Amino acid sequence: MKKTRILHISTAHPAQDPRIAQKVIPSLSFQYELLAALPHVPTGKQNNVQYLWLPKFKKLLLRILFCQPLVLWYALRYQPRLLHLYNPELLPLARLIQLLLDIPVIYEVHENFHKKIAGKAANQGAWAIKPFQWADKMARRRFYLIFTEHGYLDTYTGLAKPYAVIYNFPVLSFLNPFRRAYAPNQIEPEFFYIGLISFERAFDTLVSALALLKNRYPNFTVHLFGDCRISKTELNALPGYSSIEKNLRFYGYTDQQLALPYITNATVGLALLKPVGDYMDSYTTKMFEYMALGIPVLTSDFPLYREVVERHRCGLCVSPLNPIQVANALVYLVEHPEQAKVMGERGYQAVQTDYCWQSESEKLLNFYTCVLGKEIE
């Protein structure tokens, strides 16, 4: 029996994006004929998926001018039965493809942009805001939506078509090879962070906390994996940064398979975010990844996060605006390795039972069946 052809498209996510590359695409690849157009992905077939190369640009305007014509060409050439997209900038083009091919579209919402309008205007240009608002309203009427967080439903109301909430929980089969017996370095502590590095993600608070920590543990190391959205000038201006600069290791955006081995001697996984935008209503994915790797979590004291961390006693919640709280939490975890070890074990058990991708994969497959079934009716 011939499989239904599906085209997945992202013009902004890296080809190694964990949700797309490790979760969504593998979950669908055996049931459907899957094509995936992603920035700088090697063209060719791998693991039952046909990958299609797209150019990679950081600037939105360049992606619109140079990526979207190629996306349109791929759609017209391969004639998919369903289009699955990940970026709001693709919404107008997806509507055009829908009209040309008469196919359903799934729009996967990774961020609640309506709560980040000011920041997006500053980063991408205010000229992009009005078109986004129009396209987003259109998507609510014409497309099927997948949300990565239930909190987005406060904003996305009155949807014309069925939707699904599919959380970004970890894939244990991917993370298990990196999980090790908890063995932190108590003399020269190590801390681990993976994700964007920005003020919104409390990096300034972390720097101040680490400056306090240095008085007690002068030879600590922080492994930082992710794009840094803070300029060198801004970093140098942070209080305490000059005193800890040599303790920080910036690796830039790194494939998880290369980053995760650095967790071996880490005392804790860092997942601090400030109460801005949609952060208070959205799980931080790295929290669950640290839990899956068997290390304690240090995260923000938002009610949503506290419900997970305090329920399972798998880490500590602190104010992302209070360096003293952060520093005290780090000291506690360094100086109480047995308690920290048990926190990590509880976190791993919680992911196994409550927060793993397997249940979300089943929801994704059921949603696809729903979408394709309704379009055939």
Side-chain angles (χ1 to χ4, degrees), residues 101-113:
L101 301 182
D102 190 26
I103 60 172
V105 174
I106 292 176
Y107 168 38
E108 187 164 314
V109 183
H110 287 187
E111 292 182 283
N112 192 337
F113 282 88

Side-chain angles (χ1 to χ4, degrees), residues 185 187-193 210 213-214 217-224 244 246-251 262 265-268 270:
N185 188 331
I187 306 302
E188 299 180 354
E190 297 182 25
F191 310 111
F192 184 89
Y193 174 85
L210 294 172
L213 180 74
K214 193 174 178 74
Y217 293 97
N219 296 318
F220 70 86
T221 299
V222 186
H223 300 289
L224 299 156
I244 64 163
K246 293 182 180 179
N247 300 87
L248 306 181
R249 305 288 184 270
F250 292 94
Y251 301 92
Y262 286 82
N265 300 119
T267 295
V268 61
L270 304 171

Side-chain angles (χ1 to χ4, degrees), residues 171-236:
V171 179
L172 283 174
S173 60
F174 174 78
L175 293 176
N176 275 337
F178 301 100
R179 190 166 62 90
R180 299 286 184 269
Y182 187 65
N185 188 331
Q186 288 184 264
I187 306 302
E188 299 180 354
E190 297 182 25
F191 310 111
F192 184 89
Y193 174 85
I194 190 166
L196 283 176
I197 299 166
S198 67
F199 293 133
E200 291 81 6
R201 297 182 185 229
F203 190 71
D204 50 345
T205 304
L206 179 63
V207 166
S208 296
L210 294 172
L212 296 172
L213 180 74
K214 193 174 178 74
N215 295 323
R216 195 162 185 151
Y217 293 97
N219 296 318
F220 70 86
T221 299
V222 186
H223 300 289
L224 299 156
F225 292 91
D227 287 335
C228 186
R229 300 293 174 85
I230 307 171
S231 70
K232 182 64 175 175
T233 301
E234 291 173 319
L235 286 174
N236 290 333

